[in-house]
């Protein structure tokens, strides 16, 4: 399979300013942040980085670390905008800032796939703070937003309020994603599209354990049962560096072998403003009609 690259371009409220030496400098609205980035193995455009805060990782390769602030940053976050969607960004304990900007080209692509389908039924699994859910809702889709974190779903609903979308047809589900999908299969439900952005490891609200390499094939198989020949897409992103785009592409190719359509694979990347180079962030595979 040919590898494709989906490129996140800078926009008014977000940009990758510079990168290198294992770090990246980004702007989120009026604030600038430095975060670790193992993929940035090159030298930065300049060593003169000025930021409001920096996340310094701990010694544990599986996580840890903390934010160090040079300037005051609102503890409860600040609003950002992507097209019609307004949402809250904030410095989380997990080095993220409340959304994943490299997903912007994915949101655009999903909207294109359902542009001619009135009230398309779309599910966002591992939906986090809901920016992708709201991007699809703004384009007219009926959404099901699923995340095991009550806090994340609460933030997603708050973002819907910020965007003036509180009355949109969105089902907010706090549940283990694999459990929910299996139940939807038993109910005989179908969807026009599914977005999956699973973590490498996670726990559900009732202590369910999610391990990407072990649990992804069964989840994909169940998602296939929710799609049919009239469905438009399934999009899977993976941030685990030990996996290959070709591997997850073959997983989808086999699962969707009985449906018409195309399986494609590739990488997500963000374009750096300083030099225009591409910083890879994740791998992806998708099925589309």
């Amino acid at each position: 399979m040919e590898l494709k690259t989906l490129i996140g371009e800078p926009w008014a409220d977000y940009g990758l300013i510079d990168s290198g030496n294992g770090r990246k400098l980004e702007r989120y609205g009026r604030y600038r942040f430095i975060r670790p980035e193992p993929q940035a193995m090159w030298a930065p455009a300049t060593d003169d980085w000025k930021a409001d805060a920096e996340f310094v990782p701990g010694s544990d390769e599986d996580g840890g670390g903390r934010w160090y602030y040079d300037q005051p940053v609102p503890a409860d976050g600040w609003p950002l905008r992507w097209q019609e969607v307004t949402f809250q960004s904030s410095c989380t304990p997990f080095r993220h800032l409340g959304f994943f900007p490299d997903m912007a080209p994915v949101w655009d692509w999903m909207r294109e796939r359902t542009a001619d389908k009135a009230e398309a039924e779309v599910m966002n699994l591992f939906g986090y703070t809901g920016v992708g859910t709201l991007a699809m809702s703004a384009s007219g889709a009926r959404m099901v937003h699923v995340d095991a974190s009550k806090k994340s779903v609460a933030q997603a609903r708050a973002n819907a309020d910020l965007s003036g979308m509180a009355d949109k047809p969105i089902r907010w589900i706090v549940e283990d994603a694999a459990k929910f999908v299996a139940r939807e299969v038993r109910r005989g439900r179908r969807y026009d599209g599914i977005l999956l952005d699973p973590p490498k490891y996670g726990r559900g609200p009732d202590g369910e354990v999610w391990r990407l390499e072990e649990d992804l094939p069964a989840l994909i198989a169940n998602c296939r049962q929710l799609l049919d020949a009239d469905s438009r897409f399934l999009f899977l992103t993976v941030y685990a560096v030990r996996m290959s785009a070709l591997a997850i592409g073959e997983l989808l190719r086999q699962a969707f072998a009985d449906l018409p359509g195309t399986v494609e694979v590739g990488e997500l990347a963000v374009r750096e403003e300083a030099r225009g180079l591409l910083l890879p962030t994740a791998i992806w595979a998708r099925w589309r009609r």
Side-chain angles (χ1 to χ4, degrees):
M1 281 178 277
E2 178 186 356
L3 295 178
K4 301 176 181 290
T5 304
L6 293 180
I7 301 170
E9 304 288 355
W11 72 85
D13 274 353
Y14 172 78
L16 172 64
I17 300 170
D18 196 4
S19 63
N21 293 338
R23 301 189 302 164
K24 57 186 175 184
L25 173 64
E26 301 165 290
R27 56 177 179 82
Y28 286 76
R30 58 174 291 193
Y31 301 102
R32 292 186 173 200
F33 301 95
I34 298 171
R35 295 191 290 159
E37 180 48 74
Q39 301 275 26
M41 295 181 284
W42 44 78
T46 175
D47 293 325
D48 186 24
W49 284 11
K50 292 182 174 60
D52 297 284
E54 178 174 1
F55 187 92
V56 178
S59 57
D60 183 355
E61 68 174 21
D62 289 329
R66 57 167 293 188
W67 288 98
Y68 291 86
Y69 296 91
D70 286 336
Q71 300 293 332
V73 175
D76 57 352
W78 60 98
L80 299 180
R81 190 167 181 85
W82 180 84
Q83 298 192 23
E84 310 98 320
V85 182
T86 302
F87 56 94
Q88 200 82 342
S89 184
S90 63
C91 297
T92 74
F94 310 104
R95 85 180 60 184
H96 308 306
L97 285 112
F99 80 112
F100 297 101
D102 55 341
M103 290 293 290
V106 180
W107 304 330
D108 279 329
W109 182 84
M110 293 190 301
R111 285 155 64 120
E112 291 170 3
R113 300 307 305 166
T114 57
D116 63 343
K117 174 76 173 179
E119 296 188 331
E121 297 274 354
V122 177
M123 178 161 55
N124 186 2
L125 288 172
F126 309 97
Y128 194 37
T129 57
V131 183
T133 296
L134 298 174
M136 291 301 294
S137 182
S139 70
R142 302 178 65 86
M143 296 300 301
V144 175
H145 176 102
V146 184
D147 200 287
S149 167
K150 184 182 295 186
K151 182 177 180 181
S152 291
V153 174
Q155 183 60 62
R157 298 189 74 152
N159 286 336
D161 288 338
L162 277 176
S163 299
M165 297 186 193
D167 296 330
K168 290 281 190 179
I170 303 172
R171 293 174 60 201
W172 305 102
I173 309 293
V174 179
E175 190 170 350
D176 175 76
K179 269 189 172 181
F180 179 77
V181 168
R183 192 165 65 252
E184 291 288 87
V185 171
R186 293 193 297 271
R187 289 170 172 165
R189 290 289 305 275
R190 72 163 296 279
Y191 288 86
D192 294 298
I194 300 176
L195 171 64
L196 299 94
D197 188 17
K200 181 178 180 181
Y201 176 85
R203 286 190 176 273
D206 296 321
E208 304 91 342
V209 176
W210 166 267
R211 293 184 176 88
L212 183 68
E213 292 88 348
E214 298 174 15
D215 299 323
L216 183 61
L219 179 60
I220 292 295
N222 275 340
C223 285
R224 159 64 190 88
Q225 298 304 309
L226 300 178
L227 301 168
D228 60 25
D230 293 323
S231 300
R232 303 305 175 85
F233 70 86
L234 179 141
F235 200 106
L236 166 67
T237 59
V238 171
Y239 287 82
V241 296
R242 293 178 183 176
M243 296 185 74
S244 160
L246 296 176
I248 62 173
E250 181 60 22
L251 177 64
L252 259 63
R253 190 191 68 79
Q254 292 186 13
F256 286 81
D258 61 328
L259 284 187
T262 304
V263 171
E264 298 170 319
V265 301
E267 293 194 6
L268 294 183
V270 178
R271 191 182 305 279
E272 183 196 277
E273 292 178 322
R275 295 164 289 188
L277 62 77
L278 299 181
L279 175 67
T281 59
I283 59 176
W284 57 263
R286 67 191 183 194
W287 166 82
R288 63 174 176 85
R289 282 282 285 134

